[in-house]
Structures are given as C-alpha cells and as structure tokens.
Amino acid sequence: MIMKKIGLISDIHGNTTAAEEVIKDAKNQGVDEFWFLGDLFMPGAGRSDLLELLLQNNTTTFVKGNWDGCFTSVIEEYYTINYDDPEEIFIFKLVKYVMTDLSEEQIQFMFDIPMTIEKEIYGVKFHLSHNLPNKFGGGDLVVQSAGENFARMFEHTDAKVAIYGHIHEPVLRQVAMGDDRRVINPGAVSTTMGKHSNYAILKVEENGSWSVEYRYIIHSHEKTLKDSRNKQLPYYDLYEDTMLNHVHHTHNVEGIHENNVKYQYGERVREWLEDEEMKKIFKKYRK
C-alpha cells in the first residue's frame, strides 16, 4: 500500500536548533514533505537561516501565525509605533533583529504566506490554519475548549480534517458535528512546557485512510542559548528564562521595560524607523 508521510510542524519561534532536530527525526521516520502551521520567527535567534532550513527540506506549505502577522504588520505600519509602550518596543526591536538579516525576497515571502490553505492527499482534504481561519491568536482552540469552538474550523470548508497550531499542545479530537470530522494539532517545536519539541507525522494511504503519529524530541537548550548569544539576540535574559524555566515573557512589561532602558532599545528602534533608506524599504510594503 502506497503511503504519504507529511511532517506537521508549528510554532518554531526562532529556535533553529530545535527545528533542525525535528526535521532530522522526521526524515529518519520517512517524512519527505513538511507542512508548517505558523509562528516561524521570534523571540529566538533564527532568521534567514531558519527560513532556508525549512525551504531546503521540502516544506511545501506555510500558513501565517500571529507572530508572523506581527512581523508583517510592523513593516506595514512602522509609523504607528507608541514609544511609551514597552511591549511595542519589544516587538519592533525583535522585528528589526529579524528583518535586517532577511533579503527583500525573504521578506516578501513572509508577506505572501496565507492565513489558511487546503491540501488534498489521496482524496482526503485537509484545512490548515494557525488558529481559527480568520483569527491568528486567542484561546478559542485550547485543549479544553467546547466542541462548538472547533466546529468553527469547518464553517467555510468541506475538509474532513482541520490542522492548526498556536496552543503549543498536541491535540487529536473528533468534532461534535455528528460525523467523523477531526482536528489535529502537532504541538510546538519550541517554547513548550519542557525540554522537548512536539511535532506530528500525518500518514495518508492511497485508499484514503489516514492516521497521525505524535513525536517528542529532546533538544539542547544549551546549544540554542549559545547560538542566541553568538547572534546577539535582543532580550536574551528573558529568552534564557523561557528556555530554562519555561517562563514566557511576551507580556512581562516590567522585564521588557528593564531591558529597554538597560540596552536603549527604544532609541535603537527610533533610529531604525527614522532612517531614510529603511523608510524606502518599509514603503514598499505599506498598505
């Protein structure tokens, strides 16, 4: 029986080391194609190297995550920054860090990633999104959500399976719609609640039957952190705490503000946004 094996990966968040380990394991399991479910960059140090890693390993499908949306929104709306908001400085500084390492073609690639896409394998249709089809973020699809929340994944598709990311936890459940429609979440490659990376292998046979295998890979946080130091990652101390202690600092206003003051990130971002050559680049993408 002919079988197609597809690696489902999501929420890499700039962790190239973890992505390398996941891809290596998946290829050892016979995976020759990957579908990526969003959140490629930030807050980790992966940039052009990370995007090229996915492209060079036959990642045929990308959907846009909430962090990917932040990346493109900052470039489109660079002139709207509120310098009194530490969290805005945080996002803008991370976007600056990523953007200055990407080619214009790579930046355009990020803009071209859709929010949703459908794939069909051996007659089975799969609907892919990062969260809800029309909503990047929020907690609508956490593991304990009601069945009607997951039913919203199928409002505008006749797909039998909806695959999403965002919540950083593996999920496989039937949707309460009176039929066999199901949802899959492969978990997160990085910033999970432990030292492991989660991903899944979707197996589709030529007769249309399918199954999913969940994989858990231990990766080296020490290697990730060494790479981040070498690449001069902004907000390194916050990222280190995330890697070692699983404490997320995205909305840690006090910690972000301390970094902004200590390293003059606000001033650095202002210089970047007011540079005339950068403005020309920004305006290519402005709405």
Side-chain angles (χ1 to χ4, degrees), residues 6-12 22 25-26 34-39 61 63 126-131 141 143 150 153 161-173 182-192 196-202 210-217:
I6 301 149
L8 306 177
I9 53 178
S10 188
D11 296 88
I12 298 176
V22 163
D25 183 79
F34 293 91
W35 295 350
F36 178 64
L37 299 162
D39 282 359
T61 304
V63 294
F126 300 90
H127 181 276
L128 281 62
S129 60
H130 183 67
N131 190 45
L141 300 178
V143 175
F150 292 97
M153 301 279 283
V161 184
I163 308 174
Y164 73 109
H166 186 58
I167 66 169
H168 293 208
E169 291 188 72
V171 175
L172 175 62
R173 61 177 287 176
R182 283 171 168 77
V183 294
I184 296 172
N185 191 310
V189 170
S190 187
T191 63
T192 61
H196 56 274
S197 294
N198 304 324
Y199 80 98
I201 300 175
L202 176 65
W210 65 271
S211 62
V212 62
E213 174 189 351
Y214 289 91
R215 302 283 297 174
Y216 303 86
I217 307 302

Short mmCIF file of all heavy atoms in Angstrom, two decimals, residues 6-12 22 25-26 34-39 61 63 126-131 141 143 150 153 161-173 182-192 196-202 210-217:
data_model
loop_
_atom_site.label_atom_id
_atom_site.label_comp_id
_atom_site.label_asym_id
_atom_site.label_seq_id
_atom_site.Cartn_x
_atom_site.Cartn_y
_atom_site.Cartn_z
N ILE A 6 3.73 13.06 5.94
CA ILE A 6 3.91 14.51 5.95
C ILE A 6 4.23 14.94 7.37
O ILE A 6 3.51 14.60 8.32
CB ILE A 6 2.65 15.23 5.46
CG1 ILE A 6 2.32 14.79 4.04
CG2 ILE A 6 2.82 16.74 5.54
CD1 ILE A 6 0.87 14.80 3.71
N GLY A 7 5.30 15.70 7.54
CA GLY A 7 5.64 16.23 8.85
C GLY A 7 4.85 17.50 9.13
O GLY A 7 4.89 18.46 8.35
N LEU A 8 4.10 17.51 10.22
CA LEU A 8 3.34 18.68 10.65
C LEU A 8 4.13 19.40 11.73
O LEU A 8 4.36 18.85 12.81
CB LEU A 8 1.97 18.26 11.20
CG LEU A 8 1.10 17.41 10.27
CD1 LEU A 8 -0.19 17.03 10.98
CD2 LEU A 8 0.80 18.12 8.96
N ILE A 9 4.58 20.61 11.44
CA ILE A 9 5.40 21.36 12.38
C ILE A 9 4.80 22.75 12.59
O ILE A 9 4.21 23.33 11.68
CB ILE A 9 6.86 21.48 11.91
CG1 ILE A 9 6.95 22.03 10.48
CG2 ILE A 9 7.55 20.12 12.00
CD1 ILE A 9 8.38 22.21 9.98
N SER A 10 4.95 23.26 13.79
CA SER A 10 4.34 24.55 14.11
C SER A 10 5.13 25.22 15.23
O SER A 10 5.86 24.58 15.99
CB SER A 10 2.89 24.35 14.56
OG SER A 10 2.23 25.59 14.70
N ASP A 11 4.99 26.54 15.30
CA ASP A 11 5.49 27.32 16.43
C ASP A 11 6.97 27.06 16.72
O ASP A 11 7.35 26.63 17.81
CB ASP A 11 4.62 27.05 17.67
CG ASP A 11 3.19 27.51 17.47
OD1 ASP A 11 2.38 26.72 16.96
OD2 ASP A 11 2.90 28.67 17.80
N ILE A 12 7.80 27.38 15.73
CA ILE A 12 9.25 27.27 15.89
C ILE A 12 9.80 28.45 16.70
O ILE A 12 10.75 28.30 17.46
CB ILE A 12 9.94 27.17 14.53
CG1 ILE A 12 9.47 25.90 13.79
CG2 ILE A 12 11.46 27.16 14.68
CD1 ILE A 12 10.01 25.77 12.38
N VAL A 22 14.03 18.35 14.88
CA VAL A 22 12.73 17.84 14.44
C VAL A 22 12.80 17.35 13.00
O VAL A 22 12.32 16.26 12.67
CB VAL A 22 11.64 18.91 14.63
CG1 VAL A 22 10.40 18.58 13.82
CG2 VAL A 22 11.28 19.07 16.10
N ASP A 25 14.76 14.09 12.77
CA ASP A 25 13.98 12.94 13.24
C ASP A 25 12.90 12.56 12.24
O ASP A 25 12.69 11.37 11.95
CB ASP A 25 13.35 13.26 14.59
CG ASP A 25 12.58 12.08 15.16
OD1 ASP A 25 13.21 11.16 15.71
OD2 ASP A 25 11.33 12.06 15.04
N ALA A 26 12.22 13.57 11.70
CA ALA A 26 11.13 13.30 10.76
C ALA A 26 11.64 12.60 9.51
O ALA A 26 11.01 11.65 9.01
CB ALA A 26 10.43 14.60 10.40
N PHE A 34 7.00 18.62 4.42
CA PHE A 34 6.57 19.26 5.66
C PHE A 34 5.50 20.31 5.38
O PHE A 34 5.55 21.01 4.36
CB PHE A 34 7.76 19.92 6.38
CG PHE A 34 8.77 18.95 6.90
CD1 PHE A 34 9.85 18.58 6.10
CD2 PHE A 34 8.67 18.39 8.16
CE1 PHE A 34 10.80 17.67 6.55
CE2 PHE A 34 9.60 17.49 8.63
CZ PHE A 34 10.67 17.13 7.83
N TRP A 35 4.53 20.41 6.30
CA TRP A 35 3.57 21.50 6.32
C TRP A 35 3.82 22.30 7.58
O TRP A 35 3.85 21.75 8.69
CB TRP A 35 2.14 20.96 6.33
CG TRP A 35 1.74 20.22 5.09
CD1 TRP A 35 2.42 20.12 3.91
CD2 TRP A 35 0.55 19.44 4.92
NE1 TRP A 35 1.74 19.35 3.01
CE2 TRP A 35 0.58 18.91 3.60
CE3 TRP A 35 -0.54 19.13 5.73
CZ2 TRP A 35 -0.43 18.10 3.09
CZ3 TRP A 35 -1.56 18.32 5.23
CH2 TRP A 35 -1.50 17.81 3.93
N PHE A 36 4.00 23.62 7.42
CA PHE A 36 4.29 24.49 8.56
C PHE A 36 3.06 25.31 8.92
O PHE A 36 2.45 25.95 8.06
CB PHE A 36 5.47 25.41 8.23
CG PHE A 36 5.80 26.36 9.34
CD1 PHE A 36 6.26 25.87 10.56
CD2 PHE A 36 5.63 27.71 9.19
CE1 PHE A 36 6.54 26.73 11.61
CE2 PHE A 36 5.92 28.58 10.22
CZ PHE A 36 6.38 28.09 11.43
N LEU A 37 2.73 25.32 10.21
CA LEU A 37 1.46 25.88 10.68
C LEU A 37 1.59 27.23 11.38
O LEU A 37 0.67 27.65 12.07
CB LEU A 37 0.76 24.88 11.60
CG LEU A 37 0.43 23.56 10.88
CD1 LEU A 37 0.16 22.46 11.89
CD2 LEU A 37 -0.74 23.74 9.94
N GLY A 38 2.72 27.91 11.19
CA GLY A 38 2.80 29.29 11.64
C GLY A 38 3.69 29.53 12.85
O GLY A 38 4.03 28.63 13.61
N ASP A 39 4.08 30.80 13.00
CA ASP A 39 4.99 31.31 14.03
C ASP A 39 6.41 30.81 13.79
O ASP A 39 6.94 29.97 14.52
CB ASP A 39 4.50 30.97 15.45
CG ASP A 39 3.38 31.89 15.91
OD1 ASP A 39 3.00 32.80 15.14
OD2 ASP A 39 2.89 31.71 17.03
N THR A 61 4.26 23.83 2.30
CA THR A 61 3.07 24.58 2.68
C THR A 61 3.35 25.40 3.94
O THR A 61 3.87 24.86 4.93
CB THR A 61 1.89 23.62 2.94
OG1 THR A 61 1.68 22.83 1.76
CG2 THR A 61 0.62 24.38 3.27
N VAL A 63 1.39 28.40 6.55
CA VAL A 63 0.30 29.31 6.90
C VAL A 63 0.84 30.32 7.92
O VAL A 63 1.80 30.04 8.64
CB VAL A 63 -0.96 28.60 7.44
CG1 VAL A 63 -1.60 27.76 6.37
CG2 VAL A 63 -0.65 27.77 8.68
N PHE A 126 -7.59 18.41 3.63
CA PHE A 126 -7.13 18.94 4.91
C PHE A 126 -7.16 20.46 4.87
O PHE A 126 -6.71 21.07 3.90
CB PHE A 126 -5.71 18.46 5.22
CG PHE A 126 -5.55 16.97 5.28
CD1 PHE A 126 -5.23 16.24 4.14
CD2 PHE A 126 -5.73 16.29 6.48
CE1 PHE A 126 -5.08 14.86 4.19
CE2 PHE A 126 -5.59 14.91 6.54
CZ PHE A 126 -5.27 14.19 5.39
N HIS A 127 -7.68 21.07 5.92
CA HIS A 127 -7.73 22.53 6.05
C HIS A 127 -6.68 22.96 7.08
O HIS A 127 -6.68 22.48 8.21
CB HIS A 127 -9.12 22.98 6.49
CG HIS A 127 -9.25 24.47 6.61
ND1 HIS A 127 -8.89 25.17 7.73
CD2 HIS A 127 -9.71 25.39 5.73
CE1 HIS A 127 -9.12 26.45 7.55
NE2 HIS A 127 -9.61 26.61 6.34
N LEU A 128 -5.79 23.87 6.67
CA LEU A 128 -4.69 24.29 7.54
C LEU A 128 -4.84 25.75 7.91
O LEU A 128 -5.10 26.61 7.06
CB LEU A 128 -3.34 24.09 6.83
CG LEU A 128 -2.73 22.70 6.77
CD1 LEU A 128 -3.62 21.73 5.99
CD2 LEU A 128 -1.34 22.75 6.13
N SER A 129 -4.65 26.04 9.20
CA SER A 129 -4.62 27.41 9.70
C SER A 129 -3.80 27.43 10.99
O SER A 129 -3.52 26.37 11.56
CB SER A 129 -6.02 27.95 9.96
OG SER A 129 -6.70 27.16 10.92
N HIS A 130 -3.42 28.60 11.44
CA HIS A 130 -2.65 28.68 12.69
C HIS A 130 -3.56 28.57 13.90
O HIS A 130 -3.21 27.93 14.89
CB HIS A 130 -1.87 29.98 12.75
CG HIS A 130 -0.99 30.10 13.96
ND1 HIS A 130 0.10 29.29 14.17
CD2 HIS A 130 -1.05 30.93 15.05
CE1 HIS A 130 0.69 29.61 15.32
NE2 HIS A 130 0.00 30.61 15.86
N ASN A 131 -4.70 29.21 13.82
CA ASN A 131 -5.69 29.18 14.90
C ASN A 131 -7.05 29.07 14.19
O ASN A 131 -7.20 28.22 13.32
CB ASN A 131 -5.56 30.44 15.77
CG ASN A 131 -6.38 30.38 17.04
OD1 ASN A 131 -6.39 29.38 17.74
ND2 ASN A 131 -7.07 31.47 17.35
N LEU A 141 -9.16 27.74 20.80
CA LEU A 141 -8.94 26.35 20.44
C LEU A 141 -7.98 25.63 21.39
O LEU A 141 -7.30 24.69 21.00
CB LEU A 141 -8.42 26.24 19.01
CG LEU A 141 -9.33 26.83 17.93
CD1 LEU A 141 -8.67 26.71 16.56
CD2 LEU A 141 -10.69 26.14 17.91
N VAL A 143 -6.98 23.06 24.43
CA VAL A 143 -7.38 21.66 24.51
C VAL A 143 -8.77 21.48 25.11
O VAL A 143 -9.57 20.67 24.65
CB VAL A 143 -6.34 20.88 25.34
CG1 VAL A 143 -6.79 19.44 25.53
CG2 VAL A 143 -4.98 20.91 24.65
N PHE A 150 -14.33 24.22 18.00
CA PHE A 150 -13.62 23.50 16.94
C PHE A 150 -14.47 23.37 15.68
O PHE A 150 -13.93 23.32 14.57
CB PHE A 150 -13.19 22.13 17.45
CG PHE A 150 -12.12 22.20 18.51
CD1 PHE A 150 -12.45 22.12 19.85
CD2 PHE A 150 -10.80 22.36 18.15
CE1 PHE A 150 -11.47 22.20 20.82
CE2 PHE A 150 -9.80 22.43 19.12
CZ PHE A 150 -10.14 22.36 20.47
N MET A 153 -13.88 25.73 12.79
CA MET A 153 -12.81 25.48 11.81
C MET A 153 -13.37 25.02 10.47
O MET A 153 -12.71 25.13 9.44
CB MET A 153 -11.87 24.40 12.36
CG MET A 153 -11.21 24.73 13.68
SD MET A 153 -9.79 25.80 13.49
CE MET A 153 -8.57 24.63 12.90
N VAL A 161 -10.62 17.13 7.78
CA VAL A 161 -9.64 17.28 8.86
C VAL A 161 -9.14 18.73 8.87
O VAL A 161 -8.77 19.26 7.82
CB VAL A 161 -8.44 16.33 8.69
CG1 VAL A 161 -7.50 16.44 9.89
CG2 VAL A 161 -8.91 14.89 8.50
N ALA A 162 -9.14 19.34 10.04
CA ALA A 162 -8.58 20.68 10.20
C ALA A 162 -7.32 20.57 11.06
O ALA A 162 -7.33 19.92 12.11
CB ALA A 162 -9.59 21.62 10.86
N ILE A 163 -6.25 21.18 10.59
CA ILE A 163 -4.96 21.11 11.28
C ILE A 163 -4.57 22.54 11.67
O ILE A 163 -4.63 23.46 10.85
CB ILE A 163 -3.88 20.50 10.37
CG1 ILE A 163 -4.36 19.15 9.81
CG2 ILE A 163 -2.59 20.31 11.15
CD1 ILE A 163 -3.41 18.53 8.79
N TYR A 164 -4.17 22.72 12.93
CA TYR A 164 -3.83 24.06 13.41
C TYR A 164 -2.65 23.99 14.37
O TYR A 164 -2.14 22.91 14.70
CB TYR A 164 -5.04 24.73 14.06
CG TYR A 164 -5.42 24.18 15.43
CD1 TYR A 164 -5.21 24.94 16.59
CD2 TYR A 164 -6.02 22.93 15.57
CE1 TYR A 164 -5.57 24.45 17.83
CE2 TYR A 164 -6.38 22.45 16.82
CZ TYR A 164 -6.16 23.20 17.95
OH TYR A 164 -6.51 22.73 19.19
N GLY A 165 -2.16 25.15 14.81
CA GLY A 165 -1.04 25.24 15.74
C GLY A 165 -1.41 26.11 16.93
O GLY A 165 -2.44 25.92 17.57
N HIS A 166 -0.55 27.05 17.26
CA HIS A 166 -0.81 28.15 18.18
C HIS A 166 -0.81 27.79 19.67
O HIS A 166 -0.23 28.51 20.47
CB HIS A 166 -2.12 28.85 17.82
CG HIS A 166 -2.41 30.08 18.63
ND1 HIS A 166 -1.53 31.14 18.68
CD2 HIS A 166 -3.45 30.41 19.44
CE1 HIS A 166 -2.04 32.08 19.47
NE2 HIS A 166 -3.18 31.66 19.95
N ILE A 167 -1.45 26.72 20.08
CA ILE A 167 -1.63 26.49 21.51
C ILE A 167 -0.47 25.72 22.15
O ILE A 167 -0.45 25.53 23.37
CB ILE A 167 -2.96 25.76 21.81
CG1 ILE A 167 -2.95 24.34 21.24
CG2 ILE A 167 -4.14 26.57 21.28
CD1 ILE A 167 -4.11 23.49 21.73
N HIS A 168 0.48 25.24 21.34
CA HIS A 168 1.68 24.58 21.84
C HIS A 168 1.39 23.25 22.55
O HIS A 168 2.21 22.79 23.35
CB HIS A 168 2.48 25.51 22.78
CG HIS A 168 3.08 26.69 22.12
ND1 HIS A 168 4.23 27.31 22.58
CD2 HIS A 168 2.70 27.40 21.02
CE1 HIS A 168 4.54 28.33 21.79
NE2 HIS A 168 3.61 28.40 20.84
N GLU A 169 0.27 22.65 22.27
CA GLU A 169 -0.06 21.35 22.85
C GLU A 169 -0.63 20.43 21.77
O GLU A 169 -1.45 20.87 20.95
CB GLU A 169 -1.09 21.50 23.97
CG GLU A 169 -0.59 22.18 25.22
CD GLU A 169 -1.60 22.10 26.35
OE1 GLU A 169 -1.78 21.01 26.90
OE2 GLU A 169 -2.23 23.14 26.65
N PRO A 170 -0.23 19.17 21.77
CA PRO A 170 -0.80 18.23 20.80
C PRO A 170 -2.28 17.98 21.05
O PRO A 170 -2.72 17.89 22.19
CB PRO A 170 0.02 16.94 21.04
CG PRO A 170 1.25 17.39 21.75
CD PRO A 170 0.84 18.56 22.58
N VAL A 171 -3.03 17.87 19.96
CA VAL A 171 -4.47 17.61 20.02
C VAL A 171 -4.86 16.66 18.90
O VAL A 171 -4.38 16.79 17.78
CB VAL A 171 -5.29 18.92 19.88
CG1 VAL A 171 -6.79 18.62 19.83
CG2 VAL A 171 -4.98 19.90 21.00
N LEU A 172 -5.73 15.73 19.22
CA LEU A 172 -6.43 14.94 18.21
C LEU A 172 -7.81 14.66 18.78
O LEU A 172 -7.95 13.98 19.79
CB LEU A 172 -5.71 13.63 17.91
CG LEU A 172 -6.43 12.67 16.95
CD1 LEU A 172 -6.61 13.31 15.58
CD2 LEU A 172 -5.69 11.34 16.83
N ARG A 173 -8.83 15.23 18.15
CA ARG A 173 -10.17 15.03 18.69
C ARG A 173 -11.21 15.10 17.59
O ARG A 173 -11.01 15.74 16.55
CB ARG A 173 -10.50 16.06 19.77
CG ARG A 173 -10.50 17.50 19.32
CD ARG A 173 -10.93 18.44 20.45
NE ARG A 173 -12.35 18.36 20.73
CZ ARG A 173 -12.95 19.02 21.72
NH1 ARG A 173 -12.23 19.78 22.55
NH2 ARG A 173 -14.25 18.92 21.90
N ARG A 182 -12.40 15.72 12.17
CA ARG A 182 -11.46 15.77 13.27
C ARG A 182 -10.52 16.95 13.15
O ARG A 182 -10.33 17.51 12.07
CB ARG A 182 -10.66 14.47 13.34
CG ARG A 182 -11.45 13.31 13.96
CD ARG A 182 -10.71 12.00 13.82
NE ARG A 182 -11.31 10.94 14.64
CZ ARG A 182 -12.41 10.28 14.32
NH1 ARG A 182 -13.05 10.59 13.22
NH2 ARG A 182 -12.88 9.35 15.13
N VAL A 183 -9.91 17.30 14.29
CA VAL A 183 -8.90 18.35 14.32
C VAL A 183 -7.59 17.76 14.84
O VAL A 183 -7.59 16.87 15.69
CB VAL A 183 -9.32 19.56 15.19
CG1 VAL A 183 -10.51 20.28 14.58
CG2 VAL A 183 -9.62 19.13 16.61
N ILE A 184 -6.49 18.28 14.29
CA ILE A 184 -5.15 17.86 14.67
C ILE A 184 -4.34 19.08 15.05
O ILE A 184 -4.37 20.10 14.36
CB ILE A 184 -4.43 17.14 13.51
CG1 ILE A 184 -5.14 15.85 13.12
CG2 ILE A 184 -2.97 16.86 13.86
CD1 ILE A 184 -4.58 15.22 11.83
N ASN A 185 -3.60 18.99 16.14
CA ASN A 185 -2.59 19.98 16.47
C ASN A 185 -1.30 19.22 16.79
O ASN A 185 -1.31 18.35 17.65
CB ASN A 185 -3.00 20.83 17.68
CG ASN A 185 -2.10 22.05 17.87
OD1 ASN A 185 -0.88 21.93 17.88
ND2 ASN A 185 -2.70 23.22 18.04
N PRO A 186 -0.20 19.53 16.10
CA PRO A 186 1.04 18.78 16.32
C PRO A 186 1.83 19.22 17.53
O PRO A 186 2.87 18.62 17.85
CB PRO A 186 1.83 19.04 15.05
CG PRO A 186 1.41 20.42 14.65
CD PRO A 186 -0.07 20.49 15.00
N GLY A 187 1.37 20.28 18.25
CA GLY A 187 2.17 20.85 19.32
C GLY A 187 3.17 21.85 18.77
O GLY A 187 3.05 22.33 17.65
N ALA A 188 4.19 22.16 19.56
CA ALA A 188 5.14 23.21 19.20
C ALA A 188 6.55 22.67 19.10
O ALA A 188 6.96 21.83 19.90
CB ALA A 188 5.10 24.34 20.23
N VAL A 189 7.29 23.19 18.14
CA VAL A 189 8.70 22.83 18.01
C VAL A 189 9.51 23.48 19.13
O VAL A 189 10.47 22.90 19.63
CB VAL A 189 9.24 23.25 16.63
CG1 VAL A 189 10.76 23.12 16.57
CG2 VAL A 189 8.58 22.41 15.55
N SER A 190 9.12 24.69 19.56
CA SER A 190 9.87 25.38 20.61
C SER A 190 8.93 26.07 21.58
O SER A 190 7.73 26.22 21.33
CB SER A 190 10.82 26.41 20.00
OG SER A 190 11.67 26.97 20.98
N THR A 191 9.51 26.52 22.69
CA THR A 191 8.80 27.16 23.81
C THR A 191 7.62 26.32 24.28
O THR A 191 6.54 26.83 24.56
CB THR A 191 8.36 28.61 23.48
OG1 THR A 191 7.42 28.62 22.39
CG2 THR A 191 9.55 29.48 23.13
N THR A 192 7.85 25.02 24.38
CA THR A 192 6.88 24.13 25.01
C THR A 192 7.07 24.22 26.52
O THR A 192 7.91 24.95 27.02
CB THR A 192 7.07 22.68 24.55
OG1 THR A 192 8.39 22.26 24.94
CG2 THR A 192 6.95 22.55 23.04
N HIS A 196 11.33 19.27 25.48
CA HIS A 196 11.06 18.51 24.28
C HIS A 196 10.44 19.41 23.20
O HIS A 196 9.90 20.48 23.49
CB HIS A 196 10.10 17.36 24.57
CG HIS A 196 8.82 17.79 25.20
ND1 HIS A 196 8.69 17.95 26.57
CD2 HIS A 196 7.62 18.11 24.67
CE1 HIS A 196 7.46 18.34 26.84
NE2 HIS A 196 6.79 18.46 25.71
N SER A 197 10.54 18.93 21.98
CA SER A 197 9.83 19.53 20.85
C SER A 197 8.73 18.56 20.43
O SER A 197 8.95 17.35 20.37
CB SER A 197 10.78 19.76 19.67
OG SER A 197 11.76 20.73 19.98
N ASN A 198 7.57 19.09 20.14
CA ASN A 198 6.47 18.27 19.65
C ASN A 198 6.30 18.50 18.15
O ASN A 198 6.38 19.63 17.67
CB ASN A 198 5.15 18.64 20.32
CG ASN A 198 5.22 18.56 21.84
OD1 ASN A 198 5.89 17.69 22.38
ND2 ASN A 198 4.54 19.46 22.50
N TYR A 199 6.04 17.42 17.43
CA TYR A 199 5.57 17.53 16.06
C TYR A 199 4.78 16.27 15.75
O TYR A 199 4.66 15.37 16.60
CB TYR A 199 6.73 17.74 15.08
CG TYR A 199 7.49 16.50 14.68
CD1 TYR A 199 7.21 15.86 13.47
CD2 TYR A 199 8.50 15.97 15.48
CE1 TYR A 199 7.92 14.72 13.08
CE2 TYR A 199 9.21 14.84 15.10
CZ TYR A 199 8.90 14.21 13.89
OH TYR A 199 9.59 13.09 13.51
N ALA A 200 4.19 16.20 14.57
CA ALA A 200 3.37 15.04 14.22
C ALA A 200 3.67 14.60 12.80
O ALA A 200 4.09 15.40 11.96
CB ALA A 200 1.88 15.36 14.38
N ILE A 201 3.44 13.33 12.56
CA ILE A 201 3.56 12.77 11.22
C ILE A 201 2.18 12.34 10.76
O ILE A 201 1.55 11.48 11.38
CB ILE A 201 4.52 11.56 11.18
CG1 ILE A 201 5.92 11.98 11.65
CG2 ILE A 201 4.58 10.98 9.77
CD1 ILE A 201 6.89 10.83 11.76
N LEU A 202 1.70 12.99 9.72
CA LEU A 202 0.42 12.63 9.11
C LEU A 202 0.67 11.56 8.06
O LEU A 202 1.48 11.74 7.16
CB LEU A 202 -0.21 13.88 8.47
CG LEU A 202 -1.51 13.67 7.70
CD1 LEU A 202 -2.63 13.23 8.64
CD2 LEU A 202 -1.89 14.95 6.96
N TRP A 210 -6.30 7.53 6.90
CA TRP A 210 -5.22 8.35 7.43
C TRP A 210 -5.07 8.14 8.93
O TRP A 210 -5.99 7.69 9.61
CB TRP A 210 -5.46 9.84 7.13
CG TRP A 210 -6.66 10.43 7.83
CD1 TRP A 210 -7.94 10.47 7.35
CD2 TRP A 210 -6.68 11.03 9.12
NE1 TRP A 210 -8.77 11.06 8.27
CE2 TRP A 210 -8.02 11.42 9.37
CE3 TRP A 210 -5.72 11.28 10.09
CZ2 TRP A 210 -8.42 12.04 10.55
CZ3 TRP A 210 -6.11 11.90 11.27
CH2 TRP A 210 -7.44 12.28 11.49
N SER A 211 -3.90 8.46 9.43
CA SER A 211 -3.62 8.40 10.87
C SER A 211 -2.57 9.46 11.19
O SER A 211 -1.97 10.05 10.29
CB SER A 211 -3.13 7.00 11.27
OG SER A 211 -1.91 6.69 10.61
N VAL A 212 -2.36 9.70 12.47
CA VAL A 212 -1.36 10.68 12.88
C VAL A 212 -0.53 10.09 14.01
O VAL A 212 -1.06 9.47 14.92
CB VAL A 212 -2.02 12.03 13.28
CG1 VAL A 212 -2.94 11.87 14.47
CG2 VAL A 212 -0.97 13.09 13.54
N GLU A 213 0.78 10.30 13.92
CA GLU A 213 1.71 9.84 14.95
C GLU A 213 2.36 11.07 15.58
O GLU A 213 2.90 11.92 14.88
CB GLU A 213 2.79 8.95 14.34
CG GLU A 213 3.89 8.54 15.32
CD GLU A 213 5.05 7.83 14.67
OE1 GLU A 213 4.94 7.49 13.46
OE2 GLU A 213 6.07 7.62 15.35
N TYR A 214 2.32 11.15 16.91
CA TYR A 214 2.93 12.27 17.61
C TYR A 214 4.35 11.91 18.04
O TYR A 214 4.60 10.82 18.55
CB TYR A 214 2.08 12.68 18.81
CG TYR A 214 0.80 13.34 18.40
CD1 TYR A 214 -0.36 12.59 18.20
CD2 TYR A 214 0.75 14.71 18.17
CE1 TYR A 214 -1.53 13.19 17.78
CE2 TYR A 214 -0.42 15.32 17.75
CZ TYR A 214 -1.56 14.56 17.56
OH TYR A 214 -2.72 15.16 17.14
N ARG A 215 5.27 12.85 17.84
CA ARG A 215 6.67 12.63 18.16
C ARG A 215 7.15 13.67 19.17
O ARG A 215 6.71 14.83 19.16
CB ARG A 215 7.53 12.75 16.89
CG ARG A 215 7.15 11.81 15.77
CD ARG A 215 7.62 10.40 16.02
NE ARG A 215 9.08 10.32 16.07
CZ ARG A 215 9.75 9.20 16.37
NH1 ARG A 215 9.09 8.10 16.69
NH2 ARG A 215 11.07 9.20 16.37
N TYR A 216 8.05 13.25 20.05
CA TYR A 216 8.58 14.12 21.10
C TYR A 216 10.11 14.03 21.05
O TYR A 216 10.68 12.96 21.25
CB TYR A 216 8.07 13.69 22.47
CG TYR A 216 6.57 13.70 22.55
CD1 TYR A 216 5.83 12.59 22.15
CD2 TYR A 216 5.88 14.82 23.00
CE1 TYR A 216 4.44 12.59 22.20
CE2 TYR A 216 4.49 14.84 23.05
CZ TYR A 216 3.78 13.73 22.65
OH TYR A 216 2.40 13.73 22.68
N ILE A 217 10.77 15.15 20.78
CA ILE A 217 12.21 15.17 20.58
C ILE A 217 12.85 16.05 21.66
O ILE A 217 12.45 17.20 21.86
CB ILE A 217 12.57 15.74 19.19
CG1 ILE A 217 11.81 14.99 18.09
CG2 ILE A 217 14.07 15.68 18.96
CD1 ILE A 217 12.06 13.51 18.05
#
